[in-house]
Amino acid sequence: MKMKTLFLFCLLFILTDKIDAASLSDFYPFGMVNGDRRAPTNDDGSTEPIPVSTSFPFFNYQHDSLIVNTNGVISFLGTMSTYTPSSFPLPSKRRLIAPYLADTDTRKGGDVWYRESTNLTLLGEATGEIHEIFPEHFNFHAAWMFIATWDNVSFFGSDSIGQQKKCTFQCVLVTNGRHSFTIFLYDKIEWTTGTASSGDSTSGLGGTPAQ
């Protein structure tokens, strides 16, 4: 099996691996044609809490719902409207998974997609990747996954040139009900900072960059 993981993060054991480039063909399938729901177009917004069919273990808690936030974060205790990243760990008691915390503004372009899945083919693919990265977890078999994709999203304050710069990344939550992993995938990262975080409106760079 071709390994497509850019950044695999074991939630329970706080382990990290390597970062490389990926292409859209490496992403888990996403978009309306694959049964995704689309988050509302907004700046600093969030979905309503999304009930999930399998509890997701995170920080010694079993979570039966989650929130997909436009600014590149999946949260569990409430929405996340913060647009200027702070160094982790954050001072408040937040439970967050942040593939790309930055000032995303889908009014300027792009979509945020999400769905849960128990598709056996996808679960088998995720299981294989986790076995390859973490061979010590050879008994792990994924039973549930949640796929969130930020597709060609723009940044806050972008001008007509800046709106041509896009970011596309994906966060996949995987669990067997006891152990949890996330898979981070990045297709393109063309900006890091919105203007409210002192970024440049044309380049999308500078200021306080994404985390």
Side-chain angles (χ1 to χ4, degrees):
M1 176 183 293
K2 176 185 176 183
M3 186 185 72
K4 69 182 181 183
T5 305
L6 289 169
F7 182 20
L8 185 61
F9 176 56
C10 177
L11 299 179
L12 216 60
F13 301 101
I14 317 301
L15 302 174
T16 60
D17 199 64
K18 61 184 179 181
I19 299 177
D20 279 311
S23 67
L24 283 180
S25 63
D26 294 324
F27 276 40
Y28 286 81
F30 67 91
M32 191 172 297
V33 69
N34 290 293
D36 278 1
R37 298 183 66 183
R38 187 174 67 85
T41 299
N42 63 72
D43 171 47
D44 301 334
S46 310
T47 65
E48 295 294 322
I50 302 165
V52 294
S53 59
T54 296
S55 294
F56 186 76
F58 189 44
F59 279 106
N60 294 320
Y61 289 88
Q62 296 280 342
H63 297 280
D64 58 9
S65 67
L66 53 81
I67 298 167
V68 178
N69 300 272
T70 300
N71 288 341
V73 174
I74 294 175
S75 57
F76 296 92
L77 298 182
T79 60
M80 178 73 171
S81 60
T82 300
Y83 53 84
T84 300
S86 299
S87 298
F88 290 156
L90 300 178
S92 60
K93 293 183 179 179
R94 295 178 174 176
R95 296 180 202 145
L96 308 174
I97 297 172
Y100 199 71
L101 172 54
D103 197 0
T104 299
D105 186 351
T106 55
R107 301 173 305 175
K108 299 284 190 175
D111 297 293
V112 180
W113 303 98
Y114 63 91
R115 78 180 184 279
E116 67 173 343
S117 178
T118 55
N119 178 280
L120 293 178
T121 299
L122 297 181
L123 292 174
E125 190 171 342
T127 297
E129 292 188 18
I130 290 165
H131 288 173
E132 187 165 1
I133 298 296
F134 300 115
E136 66 273 25
H137 295 289
F138 60 89
N139 285 324
F140 177 87
H141 294 283
W144 174 92
M145 66 197 314
F146 186 89
I147 304 166
T149 309
W150 288 258
D151 180 22
N152 277 310
V153 294
S154 298
F155 63 92
F156 177 81
S158 55
D159 60 21
S160 58
I161 298 175
Q163 287 176 37
Q164 299 174 32
K165 298 183 180 299
K166 305 289 187 180
C167 289
T168 297
F169 54 95
Q170 188 174 74
C171 178
V172 184
L173 313 187
V174 185
T175 188
N176 61 1
R178 181 183 178 190
H179 298 120
S180 299
F181 295 80
T182 69
I183 299 170
F184 292 174
L185 293 161
Y186 302 87
D187 171 55
K188 59 182 174 183
I189 300 296
E190 297 179 344
W191 61 266
T192 63
T193 320
T195 58
S197 304
S198 302
D200 181 82
S201 63
T202 298
S203 69
L205 304 176
T208 304
Q211 178 157 297

